[in-house]
Amino acid sequence: MVHALEEIHRVLAPTGTLLDLRPLAGRWPVEIEEAGHILEIGRLTDLPLGLSDDQAANLSVKTAAKEGLYRRGNELHFPLYIYWDDPDEMIGYVAEKWADFVIIDEHIQNYIHAAWEVSGTGKRIRIKLKMLLTRWNKRV
């Protein structure tokens, strides 16, 4: 990844900005939203690959900054919600798209289905990701 950051630095305008936008591992909550009320059902389990990817990305941008390529600007964390209309759709999506990074433990899946059955109409299920946005200013 350091090589990619070096290449970005090479092609970035002299006053350019690199935006580091990515989700961070962190046992993301699974929630049911119903009529403006939020019920946390459980949390996803982070897998070693997801945790090591976060560490590698953090190390790469730190290394690029130490090498004088970038100066850290503003940084913030914010939630990003991904919604589904059905818990089985969510479980399938996580298993298919995020299988290397997170899992939904079986007991959490059971809680999800039980809570879904007793909740009312107009409900949605969601996962709350923790996002990182860091501004890196090019050093010339």
Side-chain angles (χ1 to χ4, degrees):
M1 185 169 176
V2 173
H3 177 71
L5 293 170
E6 290 169 348
E7 182 62 15
I8 292 167
H9 183 270
R10 185 184 72 75
V11 300
L12 198 59
T15 58
T17 299
L18 168 69
L19 296 178
D20 179 7
L21 173 64
R22 56 192 158 98
L24 297 175
R27 295 186 34 80
W28 301 329
V30 176
E31 303 170 334
I32 292 178
E33 178 188 59
E34 178 186 6
H37 299 285
I38 306 302
L39 174 64
E40 183 176 314
I41 304 303
R43 292 183 173 259
L44 302 185
T45 299
D46 299 319
L47 296 177
L49 180 60
L51 295 169
S52 65
D53 279 359
D54 278 355
Q55 291 170 348
N58 292 338
L59 181 60
S60 293
V61 292
K62 277 185 182 178
T63 299
K66 284 182 183 177
E67 291 176 357
L69 299 177
Y70 301 97
R71 179 179 46 81
R72 178 180 283 192
N74 298 340
E75 180 174 286
L76 65 99
H77 295 92
F78 63 94
L80 175 68
Y81 300 95
I82 301 178
Y83 287 87
W84 292 267
D85 293 324
D86 178 86
D88 290 325
E89 290 176 22
M90 180 201 64
I91 291 166
Y93 182 91
V94 170
E96 180 183 337
K97 304 289 186 184
W98 297 344
D100 293 339
F101 305 101
V102 296
I103 59 170
I104 305 175
D105 293 325
E106 188 175 335
H107 72 279
I108 299 298
Q109 290 183 36
N110 293 336
Y111 291 152
I112 290 168
H113 285 107
W116 188 259
E117 290 304 315
V118 299
S119 56
T121 60
K123 59 194 171 194
R124 298 186 297 174
I125 191 159
R126 69 186 192 182
I127 295 176
K128 179 182 175 182
L129 283 67
K130 180 179 183 181
M131 299 296 295
L132 167 71
L133 175 60
T134 308
R135 178 181 175 160
W136 293 93
N137 300 305
K138 180 178 179 176
R139 287 191 166 169
V140 190

